[in-house]
Amino acid sequence: MNENHQSKTHVFYSPTKIIVGLNSACEVAQQVKQFGGSRALIVTDPGVVDADLIAPIASSLGSGDIAYVVYKGVEPEPPSRVIDQGAEIFKAEGCDLVLGVGGGSSMDVAKGISILSANKGKILDYCGVDQVPRKGAPMILMPTTAGTGSEVTRVLILTDEAQNTKNVVFTPYALANAAIIDPALSLSMPPTVTADTGMDAMVHAIETYVSMNATVFSDILAERAIRLIADYLPVAWAKGSNTDARYHMSLAATLAGMAFGSGGLGAVHALAYPLGTEYHMAHGRTNAIMLPHVMRYNIPGSPGRYARIAELMGKDIEGYATLEAAELAVDAILELLETIQVSCQVQDYGIPESDLPKLVAGGIKQARLFVPNPRDLDEEDVASIYRDAY
Ligand SMILES: [Fe+2]
């Protein structure tokens, strides 16, 4: 293992409160009261409303005599206007607490609305690191997928439509007061969404585990997440109603979110972004496509850690040299992807080979994510990874 923990000062962020349990959504009223809320703005998307996932939350709020307003204007890759509009509704309706219910997009919009409840202007005014002066209204986040980990991170990602770019707002004020993780809310996810979001969580865990910013804290979380996802993602994919598998996937996604919140991502996310922005593919799917190719490239930078990933994913590494054992981690990921029917070849998604230079240019733009990556990359390296992935 390439342990460099002792030479570093560790910083670990941990959110205030995490409530995990099947049907824990019924605790929401009690939590709203605890954080001083009497009129909540439920921030969500039309899919969550159509799947009736609001019902247990509405019933809890109703029995706790807590008023609420539903804002279901969240769009995928949320444009900044969705947050600005939600903030206006929050004020106009006299709400005092934000309740984000959904996938990463809904939770990120909820974070933005909370921020704008106490800070003037529009959300684009606060992009960057630590640009938010004041903490906003209390916020409770409830994921309905098992992947993004947004319920426990201090970042929100939004689209600037005028510039056609993705921006981040990185602030401790994006941390929820409480995350309520109820696997029952994820039961109706279709298999492809289960696969994509589950692989996003796997990438969070693996990238953090091999990151130059890894700490003992993130290691513990990432190791457990990798093992849980390897064990339970195929089951949750195969049988959506399996509450045991959904429970462990929900837990794993949150553990992975806590890990990357303090450990950082790497080249998988960097090279996946252009696939998302150019072709509007799901974030988790783009990560899944790039994962094995980036892992193979990264192995020389952290062979011991990749060998451990192989072991965590059930490979017997006894008797193998470290580098060979590390290769088994790539095999394990390829087998997992095959099981859940996710292709990791770019050409299978109808993208022409002539687009590769565009992907390379987009990947290079994310070079900030190369810094914590265990192996350095230049433009030629990025091009060769995309060629492998094609
Ligand atoms: Fe991600």
Side-chain angles (χ1 to χ4, degrees), residues 19 35 125 264 312 355 363 382:
I19 297 166
F35 295 109
D125 302 336
L312 290 164
D355 277 11
V382 170

Side-chain angles (χ1 to χ4, degrees), residues 255-275:
L255 295 175
M258 289 173 72
F260 92 77
S262 295
L265 301 175
V268 181
H269 270 77
L271 303 196
Y273 272 135
L275 289 170

Side-chain angles (χ1 to χ4, degrees), residues 147-148 200-201 203-204 260 265 269 273 283-284 287:
T148 83
D200 188 28
V203 171
H204 294 157
F260 92 77
L265 301 175
H269 270 77
Y273 272 135
H283 172 73
N287 273 322

Side-chain angles (χ1 to χ4, degrees), residues 37-390:
S38 59
R39 189 170 168 83
L41 182 69
I42 298 181
V43 178
T44 191
D45 66 60
V48 168
V49 174
D50 291 346
D52 213 17
L53 300 179
I54 300 295
I57 298 163
S59 138
S60 169
L61 295 175
S63 59
D65 280 331
I66 293 162
Y68 64 89
V69 177
V70 178
Y71 171 52
K72 58 168 184 171
V74 175
E75 300 171 24
E77 323 282 331
S80 59
R81 63 178 157 75
V82 168
I83 297 175
D84 296 334
Q85 190 191 352
E88 278 168 28
I89 294 170
F90 183 90
K91 282 172 200 162
E93 291 283 350
C95 297
D96 53 15
L97 182 141
V98 189
L99 192 51
V101 183
S105 299
S106 291
M107 292 190 280
D108 282 5
V109 170
K111 291 173 177 184
I113 293 172
S114 166
I115 287 167
L116 290 182
S117 72
N119 296 280
K120 288 194 167 61
K122 300 192 181 294
I123 196 66
L124 284 174
D125 302 336
Y126 299 102
C127 291
V129 178
D130 289 338
Q131 300 298 308
V132 181
R134 276 174 296 279
K135 177 163 170 49
M139 169 173 50
I140 296 172
L141 298 178
M142 304 178 69
T144 60
T145 63
T148 83
S150 183
E151 66 278 8
V152 288
T153 67
R154 58 193 196 283
V155 63
L156 65 117
I157 302 169
L158 54 101
T159 304
D160 178 344
E161 286 178 312
Q163 305 291 329
N164 192 26
T165 54
K166 278 200 169 186
N167 284 333
V168 294
V169 177
F170 205 90
T171 163
Y173 303 141
L175 264 184
N177 294 71
I180 302 178
I181 294 136
D182 180 354
L185 299 181
S186 71
L187 290 175
S188 59
M189 247 195 305
T192 47
V193 182
T194 302
D196 292 348
T197 52
M199 285 309 298
D200 188 28
M202 182 62 113
V203 171
H204 294 157
I206 290 179
E207 289 218 273
T208 304
Y209 194 57
V210 299
S211 166
M212 301 310 289
N213 295 335
T215 68
V216 265
F217 302 100
S218 63
D219 286 352
I220 291 166
L221 297 160
E223 285 200 358
R224 180 57 76 90
I226 292 167
R227 207 164 65 197
L228 286 173
I229 297 164
D231 287 348
Y232 290 101
L233 178 53
V235 187
W237 173 83
K239 192 73 183 169
S241 59
N242 184 319
T243 50
D244 186 46
R246 293 297 196 187
Y247 175 89
H248 286 99
M249 280 306 299
S250 294
L251 190 61
T254 301
L255 295 175
M258 289 173 72
F260 92 77
S262 295
L265 301 175
V268 181
H269 270 77
L271 303 196
Y273 272 135
L275 289 170
T277 47
E278 290 290 335
Y279 311 103
H280 303 286
M281 296 165 72
H283 172 73
R285 176 61 58 116
T286 62
N287 273 322
I289 294 169
M290 296 313 298
L291 178 62
H293 312 290
V294 173
M295 282 173 78
R296 202 174 278 128
Y297 175 84
N298 276 349
I299 281 175
S302 194
R305 293 212 158 216
Y306 282 106
R308 176 74 178 132
I309 290 169
E311 205 176 10
L312 290 164
M313 294 188 71
K315 292 284 181 191
D316 183 1
I317 63 167
E318 188 80 22
Y320 283 86
T322 310
L323 277 170
E324 288 169 354
E327 293 285 347
L328 293 178
V330 182
D331 293 350
I333 288 294
L334 291 173
E335 287 158 19
L336 174 61
L337 290 174
E338 198 183 342
T339 304
I340 60 175
Q341 295 178 5
V342 171
S343 163
C344 59
Q345 298 305 136
V346 172
Q347 60 178 322
D348 289 344
Y349 296 90
I351 295 166
E353 197 167 1
S354 55
D355 277 11
L356 286 182
K358 199 159 68 176
L359 292 175
V360 174
I364 292 286
K365 273 193 208 156
Q366 303 294 329
R368 68 183 169 86
L369 289 170
F370 298 168
V371 179
N373 194 68
R375 182 173 171 189
D376 288 332
L377 302 93
D378 61 21
E379 193 167 340
E380 189 37 50
D381 299 324
V382 170
S384 90
I385 295 171
Y386 278 126
R387 271 197 303 275
D388 275 356
Y390 195 77

